[in-house]
Amino acid sequence: QHYFIQSNLSLAMVFVSWEDFSRVFSNKYDTYWWLGADYHQKFGDVWPHEGEQPPEGYVFSSGQDLNTAMLLAILLTVVRFTFERLVAEPIGYWCGLRHKYPGTAAGPNERLEKLIRKTKKPSEKELAEAAKESGIEIRTAEIWMRRRRRELVPSKLRKFTESVWRFVFYSFAFALGMTTLWGEDFFWDTILCWIGYPEMIWAVKKKIYYYYLLEGSFYLSLMFSQFLDTKRKDFWEMFVHHIATLALIGGSWFGGTYRIGAIVMVTHDVADVFLEVSSSEDKF
């Protein structure tokens, strides 16, 4: 066993190094190779795959895949809102959750509405000016702000539907990831992820390609849909999180490290399944 481990470590040292990784984006490998044939033909460059066909069951990775991911992200956003409305919301109602907020509604007030959209905790001076322009007392304005802040908090039903959607997606993504990677040698011995690198980056198995495409488009959809959802206090933190996730997915794709990248994604997917289950329980 000790000899086997040493042998694998030796293979890793022989087959991958920082020099190997840096060559992916060097002139030797024709910088921007991943932008695809159309880009290189337009600017007169030589594409590494010129005149070649990928092996059966493989595709050439390309920066043009981003266009496909964007379209799929839009489709996933539509599917998400449809699923939440037609499936998750009825389940939430059946469980006793409601959109309606307890207590008296704030009521319409254009000036105060503009103020609370600017800041949920205005200063005394700002509140006094808004109350004066609205023709109401400061105390009435304070009550309105308190009621409106309560209404702006996403209801338990809204949070539940979002959790159910993410639970369904992560469950599907985990199942797809396991189906994709189960028969791959590198899934069981991660040292094999690096054998042949970086020469092996030019073609990727179709099933891994589709798995990457699904994951990337999902996080794109999450980033876009944030601007359609009720704005929460952790809005920018989650936005940065989605950007970082997309950077990691894109970096591993364009850098040709999609073998280890796929393993990392499936590991995160299974963790997110249990995270969304526990999150759904908190809504009751």
Side-chain angles (χ1 to χ4, degrees), residues 32-41 47-49 61-64:
Y32 310 128
W33 61 267
W34 35 266
L35 289 178
D38 292 344
Y39 173 87
H40 288 79
Q41 290 171 2
W47 193 47
H49 309 319
S61 56
S62 168
Q64 297 170 1

Side-chain angles (χ1 to χ4, degrees), residues 109-116 127 130 134 136 141 144-145:
N109 189 309
E110 185 177 347
R111 180 63 182 87
L112 291 178
E113 186 69 34
K114 183 178 179 180
L115 177 61
I116 201 171
L127 188 61
S134 300
I136 59 177
W144 188 96
M145 293 290 289

Side-chain angles (χ1 to χ4, degrees), residues 61-74:
S61 56
S62 168
Q64 297 170 1
D65 300 329
L66 181 60
N67 297 332
T68 307
M70 295 281 285
L71 292 174
L72 188 55
I74 296 173

Side-chain angles (χ1 to χ4, degrees), residues 162-172 273 276-277 280:
E162 293 175 358
S163 293
V164 171
W165 160 247
R166 289 193 295 267
F167 167 77
V168 170
F169 175 83
Y170 288 130
S171 298
F172 174 77
V273 170
E276 295 304 328
V277 170
S280 298

